[in-house]
Amino acid sequence: MKKTCGFLLMVLFLLLFTVTTNAARADVEKYFDGIKTSSFDPAAKVRFLPENVNSWFARWHILDNAKKSIDVTYFIVEQDIFGMSMLGMLYKKAREGVNIRLMVDARGTKGLTRKFIGQDVLQEMVKFKNVQIRVFNPVHRKLQALFDDLRKITASNHDKIIIVDDEYLITGGRNVSKSYFVDPRDLKGVYRDTDVLIQSRKAANQAGLAFDEEFRNGGTFQIYRDVFGNADTMSKDLEIAYTAMRRFITGGGLFKVPSPTLSKSANELLKKYNDELKDYKRMQHYASFRLFNGERSYPTRILDKHSIHGPRNDITNNLSGLMDAAQSEILIQNPYVVLTEEARAAIKRASDRGVKVIIHTNSPMSSDSLLTQAMFIGDWKTILRDMPNVRIFGYHLSTKLHSKVFVFDRKVAVIGTYNMDYVSEQINSEVIAVIKARPFATQVAERIMQDLKDSHEYKIKIERDGSIKTLFGPESHSDKKVIDRLNMLQKLQWLKPLI
């Protein structure tokens, strides 16, 4: 009888200990509530944007309806019809008196930022007093870092933010080029990416602070009007790109060329943009597009991280904190998985607690970064060995995965620019939106689960001697030449902190 009572007391103690321990560790919703930021909106209207075309339409809509101000920062702005028509939209809004600030990265947006070669377009825009344009961390400003810290030269503004009238905000993984906005059925090899549209003055204010802190960074380079006049006037190019895009997406089709009302050079430009647009058949329904389709309002925070040139990092520790607060499931969808010590430790702690973790990333056949993929194929087996509750999936479509998304217990979702690598954690500036809402987090999770159907699960077996046997891995479904190249690149481990 005494033994039975003693056993029951021990069981009761263990149950009590488990309950107390779980209570002490806040769940992800409570963790969200306790994040220290300047402010957050408990009722921001939020729309999930996993599809390319709708994500472009959302940008076009908020920019076209801007009345007072537009702040834009992107890592990449290409000089294709998407980049040029967006700049054309900004040019149009500048003429209407809207205050515009634009920042592009010196490494990602090489074509538009090169002195004496590519700055004509930007110089054309700053002829308006209400327009300011800056280039982030141009190399010539940081040459001394060659003898100090190479990361200060490679540091980029990886933020992707559009803020309109201090009320509308779009952020996420997409840059500005055809690769991010064309329907994959119209153009092979485009990206599978994720953005979020938010209507909220408080969230826009948070994103505005993130923008301001980088825009006013002493390392940025301001674009000024050409003192001698713009040798290559680009206003016509901007106007034609804007007009061609607007006509096409609203269902008006292509302009006829040659047009007798245009000069020879203008007709050549129009033909160039027609040639780009003519194959994008699934992006001509903008007239029926609605910015919100009954979306609800949810608690939303914007978290920011400076580049290595600044002190702020509100992202890394809070992602780790959300992993530590998760009680059942963590979903990670990310194109570049080169786990840092902090990320690896946080995922392991979750796995050790019994939390199911899914990591969805690129395979060698979908990645746009062979060096990053090389480091990943050197790591994935030890991740599975050391973390038995982790599952890894490699995307195998011709589209490239570029989505940077986290879902915790299907209660909190994160969408932003933050990659699971050293560059995002330690070098580049980043921004994320954190949304606390079971319906929204479930929606994001279900899209990830849908993507897993187009992916291979990587599996291993631990032999009796402790060695790892591959049951199915990247080499099981990838071109041998690509795998051989990746195996060679694995020897460059010293580059890991820079990729």
Side-chain angles (χ1 to χ4, degrees):
M1 185 68 179
K2 287 182 179 179
K3 287 184 179 180
T4 304
C5 290
F7 176 75
L8 289 173
L9 283 170
M10 185 174 71
V11 170
L12 186 61
F13 172 78
L14 288 172
L15 286 172
L16 221 73
F17 177 78
T18 302
V19 170
T20 304
T21 302
N22 286 337
R25 187 179 72 243
D27 66 18
V28 293
E29 291 175 308
K30 289 179 180 176
Y31 185 90
F32 173 95
D33 293 340
I35 293 174
K36 299 292 189 294
T37 53
S38 56
S39 65
F40 84 100
D41 193 338
K45 188 177 284 188
V46 179
R47 178 173 180 177
F48 180 45
L49 293 173
E51 306 297 342
N52 287 357
V53 173
N54 279 344
S55 196
W56 176 247
F57 287 172
R59 283 165 172 78
W60 194 266
H61 188 285
I62 65 172
L63 290 172
D64 200 27
N65 287 279
K67 300 294 188 294
K68 298 180 297 181
S69 64
I70 298 172
D71 289 338
V72 177
T73 180
Y74 275 97
F75 177 62
I76 296 172
V77 178
E78 294 286 1
Q79 288 175 272
D80 61 7
I81 182 60
F82 289 91
M84 292 301 291
S85 65
M86 185 190 78
L87 294 175
M89 172 75 82
L90 297 181
Y91 185 83
K92 172 180 177 288
K93 287 295 171 179
R95 291 197 314 190
E96 294 173 4
V98 175
N99 292 316
I100 292 171
R101 295 187 298 172
L102 169 66
M103 181 164 56
V104 292
D105 184 77
R107 279 144 210 80
T109 309
K110 295 183 179 71
L112 287 169
T113 59
R114 287 174 179 156
K115 271 193 168 185
F116 310 119
I117 300 175
Q119 289 186 9
D120 286 343
V121 174
L122 302 182
Q123 287 177 331
E124 186 68 20
M125 296 175 66
V126 294
K127 70 182 184 183
F128 300 103
K129 292 181 179 179
N130 51 320
V131 175
Q132 299 178 62
I133 300 178
R134 293 181 182 270
V135 177
F136 185 83
N137 198 26
V139 174
H140 71 276
R141 290 289 186 92
K142 297 294 178 182
L143 290 178
Q144 74 276 8
L146 284 171
F147 309 99
D148 175 22
D149 188 343
L150 186 60
R151 296 177 303 170
K152 292 180 180 178
I153 286 184
T154 62
S156 294
N157 184 335
H158 198 239
D159 296 351
K160 290 106 177 175
I161 300 172
I162 296 179
I163 306 167
V164 171
D165 292 341
D166 298 322
E167 181 178 3
Y168 293 92
L169 160 68
I170 294 178
T171 191
R174 289 182 176 90
N175 292 292
V176 183
S177 85
K178 64 183 179 183
S179 297
Y180 298 91
F181 297 116
V182 177
D183 190 295
R185 293 170 294 179
D186 289 338
L187 182 65
K188 290 182 179 180
V190 297
Y191 288 100
R192 158 71 187 97
D193 217 327
T194 302
D195 290 326
V196 62
L197 164 69
I198 302 168
Q199 182 182 6
S200 161
R201 291 196 174 276
K202 289 181 178 178
N205 179 63
Q206 282 185 293
L209 290 174
F211 179 92
D212 282 338
E213 288 175 354
E214 298 293 356
F215 192 78
R216 302 179 190 281
N217 184 301
T220 59
F221 174 79
Q222 186 165 352
I223 299 292
Y224 295 97
R225 288 188 67 180
D226 194 322
V227 176
F228 303 103
N230 200 338
D232 186 8
T233 301
M234 301 301 296
S235 59
K236 184 59 67 176
D237 195 336
L238 293 168
E239 290 167 357
I240 289 175
Y242 164 80
T243 306
M245 175 62 78
R246 184 179 184 279
R247 178 185 175 97
F248 186 77
I249 64 176
T250 53
L254 304 171
F255 281 102
K256 292 183 179 180
V257 288
S259 169
T261 61
L262 296 177
S263 66
K264 180 181 177 181
S265 61
N267 271 303
E268 289 173 351
L269 281 173
L270 189 53
K271 183 180 184 306
K272 170 190 167 187
Y273 293 134
N274 276 352
D275 288 343
E276 289 187 63
L277 288 167
K278 63 182 173 60
D279 295 324
Y280 307 155
K281 297 178 176 60
R282 292 173 177 83
M283 56 177 299
Q284 300 182 70
H285 56 280
Y286 177 72
S288 62
F289 175 77
R290 297 293 177 268
L291 200 59
F292 291 101
N293 294 305
E295 279 81 5
R296 293 166 60 187
S297 298
Y298 303 119
T300 301
R301 295 182 185 275
I302 303 298
L303 299 183
D304 179 37
K305 174 190 171 295
H306 290 164
S307 75
I308 196 172
H309 301 293
R312 182 184 300 282
N313 184 354
D314 297 328
I315 298 178
T316 301
N317 63 324
N318 281 310
L319 284 178
S320 294
L322 285 164
M323 289 184 193
D324 286 337
Q327 297 178 354
S328 59
E329 179 189 67
I330 299 172
L331 303 179
I332 300 171
Q333 185 175 60
N334 207 274
Y336 314 120
V337 177
V338 184
L339 295 183
T340 65
E341 289 77 6
E342 176 160 350
R344 191 181 185 105
I347 294 171
K348 188 175 189 311
R349 289 194 298 271
S351 174
D352 290 346
R353 294 196 310 274
V355 175
K356 304 299 181 184
V357 182
I358 287 179
I359 298 175
H360 182 224
T361 189
N362 278 306
S363 73
M365 305 313 294
S366 66
S367 180
D368 65 347
S369 173
L370 284 182
L371 195 53
T372 301
Q373 189 66 202
M375 300 304 160
F376 171 70
I377 68 168
D379 289 346
W380 74 270
K381 285 183 281 190
T382 59
I383 293 172
L384 293 182
R385 180 197 65 193
D386 299 341
M387 309 175 202
N389 283 307
V390 171
R391 299 171 69 189
I392 295 176
F393 292 81
Y395 203 46
H396 64 61
L397 295 186
S398 59
T399 50
K400 300 172 179 65
L401 183 67
H402 198 255
S403 176
K404 301 105 169 24
V405 173
F406 304 79
V407 183
F408 303 96
D409 290 344
R410 307 208 179 190
K411 296 177 181 177
V412 173
V414 173
I415 297 173
T417 70
Y418 191 90
N419 290 313
M420 292 294 287
D421 59 19
Y422 288 83
V423 176
S424 282
E425 183 183 295
Q426 301 173 12
I427 302 176
N428 287 349
S429 69
E430 307 288 353
V431 65
I432 61 172
V434 188
I435 298 102
K436 184 184 77 169
R438 297 187 189 208
F440 185 84
T442 299
Q443 183 183 16
V444 178
E446 287 176 351
R447 179 54 195 255
I448 294 175
M449 303 311 288
Q450 181 182 329
D451 289 333
L452 295 187
K453 296 176 183 177
D454 296 316
S455 309
H456 293 297
E457 182 172 5
Y458 296 161
K459 295 185 177 183
I460 61 168
K461 177 184 178 183
I462 309 298
E463 302 287 17
R464 288 186 177 181
D465 63 359
S467 62
I468 305 174
K469 179 182 178 182
T470 299
L471 298 180
F472 192 95
E475 66 274 22
S476 305
H477 69 100
S478 302
D479 187 293
K480 185 178 183 302
K481 291 181 180 178
V482 175
I483 294 296
D484 289 344
R485 198 175 306 141
L486 294 176
N487 287 331
M488 287 182 63
L489 289 172
Q490 275 190 64
K491 298 174 183 178
L492 303 176
Q493 290 293 315
W494 61 274
L495 282 175
K496 215 170 191 180
L498 296 173
I499 60 172

